[in-house]
Amino acid sequence: MVAFGMKIWLTLVLLSALAGTLSGVWLRGRRAILVGAAVPWLGLLIWLLYNEFFVPYQGGGASMWPIAQLFGGTAAAPIGAGAAAVVRALRG
């Protein structure tokens, strides 16, 4: 059984790798790697901001979305860029 926090990280890693893989397949050169890094980072930011400003307040403490973006975005971007770089290297 996987803990809730691990499911979130697994989702983040898999979606980042998928975004990087797709950018590596569809784009060429450095643009693929840049997009592979930017799409997961921006996707996480959009998801966090949506939950912060449009989902009804559930109570609790201070807003932690900047910290989540710092750590989650820092993990998502290199995973996406790495997946794009691997795909580009394999495709030649």
Side-chain angles (χ1 to χ4, degrees), residues 6-86:
M6 291 304 295
K7 289 180 184 178
I8 293 173
W9 278 104
L10 183 62
T11 302
L12 179 72
V13 168
L14 291 177
L15 290 177
S16 298
L18 177 65
T21 301
L22 292 176
S23 70
V25 168
W26 290 336
L27 301 172
R28 299 194 182 277
R30 287 186 147 168
R31 182 179 294 165
I33 296 171
L34 292 174
V35 170
V39 167
W41 193 90
L42 291 171
L44 178 63
L45 179 63
I46 290 167
W47 183 75
L48 288 170
L49 291 176
Y50 170 78
N51 281 318
E52 182 66 27
F53 294 108
F54 295 107
V55 174
Y57 184 67
Q58 300 292 325
S63 175
M64 296 297 286
W65 72 265
I67 305 300
Q69 181 64 29
L70 176 69
F71 286 99
T74 301
I79 291 168
V86 167

